[in-house]
Amino acid sequence: MARGDSDLSALTEALSSSQISKEKQPTDPSNGDDAGGVQITCFSEVVHDTTTLHFQIMRLPKQIYAWIGCNSEKLGHLYAAAPTRPSAVSVTSILGGTSDNTGSGIARRLVSRTGLNIILACNIPKNSPMIELDAEKLLVQKLLNLGYIKPKSQGS
Amino acid sequence: MDSSFPVPHNKFSLEIKGNKTDVVICSYDDHFLVIATQIGTMGTILQASKEEGATFNPTFSVSVIFGKRDEPMLEACARQLVEHISNSGSSRPLMLSLGLKDHSAETLKGVVSAVIENRLW
């Protein structure tokens, strides 16, 4: 029926215009080409004049993989973290990290902020809370810049 | 590829059996990381390494460290890749992440050949 059709097309139009806006594509100049669903961003920062932190962020459609290198290019400890209930986060160490779980805190806090599954590889030496803090700050800043996480002020 | 960043990587996409597959290969100091995903996440993570002290006819150890532990084809894929790494002269272990929609031999072969073609070792 003609009337049914026009109602349907009006409904479709209304639905598509009220669609939740797509996440904005990052326009990060540093190697952030997004052909193929995986966006990779790499950057390095020097902290405390002595420590070089390297960061690698890979944005998969439903997961983020991040690597933090502290003065070295080793893979380090690998952690997987995910939101388990609406308000709970679980972290597990999948490589290394038995007595030294530097990085698990970062993984946990990343999940709290992004709500996404996170795989974090981190080779920050243990007992370096300042470096951990700086690394986390820089990582979160970059994730904000890239639009992977919303700023806290815009509500969760 | 960003040549000034200390960890080189290769990223590409291909179709295997009609499924779009994103592949990333990274070369760390002490590992090679290979991610092949069709499902939007890293999926199952395996580690494959060469046994110590083996010069010719080396033996390899492959284990799933995260994810599906009942898919032998995934371990076979890791085994093939780590052997290729070893034959190319490197003793670095492999961290392989496979997020695939099917675990058929054809898919895994497709992944292996795509990775070898674009390898960093």
Side-chain angles (χ1 to χ4, degrees):
Chain A
M1 255 193 329
R3 195 195 298 193
D5 282 342
S6 70
D7 280 352
L8 187 59
S9 64
L11 180 63
T12 316
E13 230 178 80
L15 278 177
S16 59
S17 65
S18 65
Q19 190 180 27
I20 300 166
S21 62
K22 294 203 166 78
E23 64 173 286
K24 64 177 196 284
Q25 295 300 316
T27 50
D28 189 9
S30 68
N31 205 13
D33 47 304
D34 62 335
V38 180
Q39 294 148 6
I40 305 184
T41 310
C42 303
F43 64 102
S44 304
E45 296 269 353
V46 179
V47 295
H48 303 150
D49 292 334
T50 50
T51 319
T52 308
L53 287 172
H54 304 291
F55 295 87
Q56 210 180 30
I57 302 174
M58 292 191 205
R59 210 303 190 201
L60 304 159
K62 298 187 219 166
Q63 201 170 48
I64 292 184
Y65 164 84
W67 171 71
I68 306 178
C70 174
N71 285 333
S72 115
E73 286 90 58
K74 295 196 191 312
L75 186 66
H77 297 149
L78 204 57
Y79 301 96
T84 40
R85 280 193 305 274
S87 52
V89 175
S90 293
V91 187
T92 178
S93 141
I94 40 187
L95 198 68
T98 37
S99 59
D100 167 10
N101 60 0
T102 314
S104 65
I106 303 182
R108 181 184 299 271
R109 286 186 290 274
L110 278 178
V111 172
S112 313
R113 289 210 64 182
T114 63
L116 287 170
N117 290 351
I118 299 274
I119 306 276
L120 178 74
C122 167
N123 68 16
I124 299 176
K126 61 177 169 177
N127 298 330
S128 328
M130 292 311 295
I131 303 181
E132 248 192 279
L133 214 65
D134 286 326
E136 188 180 335
K137 219 172 8 176
L138 289 166
L139 190 58
V140 170
Q141 213 170 60
K142 189 55 135 182
L143 289 173
L144 279 167
N145 283 347
L146 293 169
Y148 299 158
I149 63 183
K150 290 185 260 296
K152 273 193 180 142
S153 56
Q154 281 184 20
S156 49
Chain B
M1 244 199 308
D2 189 345
S3 51
S4 58
F5 191 71
V7 174
H9 72 266
N10 240 350
K11 182 189 83 153
F12 59 95
S13 206
L14 73 153
E15 226 183 68
I16 301 180
K17 279 177 91 174
N19 293 317
K20 175 160 174 287
T21 314
D22 295 311
V23 182
V24 181
I25 305 175
C26 287
S27 169
Y28 296 97
D29 235 15
D30 59 346
H31 277 91
F32 286 109
L33 171 68
V34 175
I35 303 176
T37 174
Q38 299 173 333
I39 58 175
T41 66
M42 283 173 73
T44 301
I45 306 182
L46 302 101
Q47 187 182 33
S49 51
K50 186 155 77 169
E51 306 277 285
E52 290 282 322
T55 42
F56 37 91
N57 285 345
T59 49
F60 304 96
S61 139
V62 177
S63 59
V64 176
I65 55 175
F66 188 73
K68 289 185 196 288
R69 287 160 210 273
D70 54 358
E71 285 286 351
M73 290 306 288
L74 301 181
E75 296 188 29
C77 180
R79 173 70 175 72
Q80 282 204 326
L81 286 174
V82 76
E83 183 167 0
H84 196 275
I85 294 175
S86 169
N87 290 341
S88 308
S90 172
S91 295
R92 273 187 253 174
L94 167 72
M95 198 69 65
L96 175 65
S97 151
L98 294 171
L100 304 172
K101 289 196 176 145
D102 71 272
H103 298 125
S104 63
E106 200 186 320
T107 303
L108 272 314
K109 276 195 227 180
V111 170
V112 170
S113 58
V115 170
I116 290 179
E117 228 176 86
N118 294 275
R119 64 188 182 279
L120 287 174
W121 52 86

